[in-house]
Amino acid sequence: MPKIGMEQVRRQQLIDATIDVVADVGLRGATINLISKKAGMSSGIISHYFGGKQALIEASVRFLLSKLKLETSPESPVGRLMKIVDLNFSNLQQADSCTKTWLCFWGESMHDNSLYRLQEVNKKRLVSNLRYSFKQLMPAERAAEEAEITAALIDGFWLRCALSRYNESKFDEAKRHIKNYINAVLENYSKHE
């Protein structure tokens, strides 16, 4: 009889193994055998828990996306804006295995409809969260514009840092630039209000 709670533990082990394998060999090279071997399980367990490789890949991407959600929302709109930046540049999002997995995911999402939908959800959620906070500090039209710009800065800086082969100081510097941009926008808006 299986132990209670083991399914969730095994599912997470398979997700962690998938992220590591994708980082090593890419999405196309990540076979069920490589993933199950990395997780220390039989290859049949992937079908049992996920139904197949594609569902496991999607679950792994959803896991990474879940780490970008605001667990607890800071009281102030500025605090929320800064927390969003922090989440996108967290240690997990900087980890070599995660950066490589994200890069593979973004590239493959151009050819795979289910991964494309996940990317669209991620993009819309980021802009929506930023817009929500900016809207509390400025008119809706301006807030929407600043949300789009800030999201592009987050994605662009993260991509540049990831492609520079994991360099923690570059990620920290990028995070600082984005936060400085947000502060400058808010300061400039309050001066001209």
Side-chain angles (χ1 to χ4, degrees):
M1 178 154 234
K3 293 181 183 176
I4 295 174
M6 280 309 290
E7 178 179 348
Q8 197 55 37
V9 169
R10 287 192 175 126
R11 287 175 68 88
Q12 188 59 51
Q13 288 171 327
L14 288 166
I15 287 169
D16 293 341
T18 301
I19 291 168
D20 289 341
V21 170
V22 168
D24 289 343
V25 299
L27 275 174
R28 295 194 189 274
T31 64
I32 287 175
N33 286 337
L34 283 174
I35 294 167
S36 59
K37 184 177 179 182
K38 180 78 172 178
M41 297 179 204
S42 72
S43 58
I45 202 91
I46 291 173
S47 291
H48 176 71
Y49 286 129
F50 295 97
K53 176 185 164 186
Q54 183 66 24
L56 175 57
I57 296 291
E58 289 174 29
S60 300
V61 171
R62 281 191 188 94
F63 168 75
L64 292 175
L65 289 171
S66 75
K67 297 304 176 185
L68 295 172
K69 289 183 183 176
L70 289 171
E71 302 275 329
T72 56
S73 185
E75 295 286 320
S76 75
V78 175
R80 280 193 301 276
L81 288 166
M82 298 307 165
K83 181 70 174 174
I84 292 167
V85 175
D86 288 338
L87 285 171
N88 280 275
F89 290 88
S90 69
N91 288 339
L92 175 67
Q93 301 302 334
Q94 294 179 36
D96 195 45
S97 60
C98 281
T99 60
K100 288 178 179 177
T101 299
W102 273 118
L103 293 170
C104 288
F105 160 67
W106 279 346
E108 191 63 26
S109 71
M110 297 171 67
H111 310 286
D112 182 303
N113 286 335
S114 59
L115 294 180
Y116 175 77
R117 279 190 297 277
L118 285 174
Q119 171 54 25
E120 285 298 298
V121 167
N122 179 44
K123 181 176 72 177
K124 288 176 183 174
R125 182 179 11 191
L126 175 59
V127 171
S128 176
N129 286 332
L130 291 164
R131 186 175 52 244
Y132 173 79
S133 295
F134 275 121
K135 221 159 93 172
Q136 295 177 38
L137 301 164
M138 59 186 58
E141 187 176 308
R142 175 85 189 270
E145 183 179 312
E146 291 302 340
E148 290 287 347
I149 292 168
T150 305
L153 287 171
I154 288 170
D155 288 344
F157 272 117
W158 185 92
L159 181 61
R160 288 176 75 178
C161 292
L163 291 173
S164 71
R165 300 284 183 177
Y166 185 68
N167 183 335
E168 190 174 320
S169 67
K170 286 197 181 294
F171 280 106
D172 290 341
E173 185 179 311
K175 184 166 61 168
R176 191 175 63 255
H177 286 314
I178 297 165
K179 287 182 174 186
N180 287 342
Y181 172 79
I182 292 169
N183 286 325
V185 164
L186 297 176
E187 185 179 321
N188 188 33
Y189 176 74
S190 66
K191 282 181 183 175
H192 294 96
E193 186 178 13

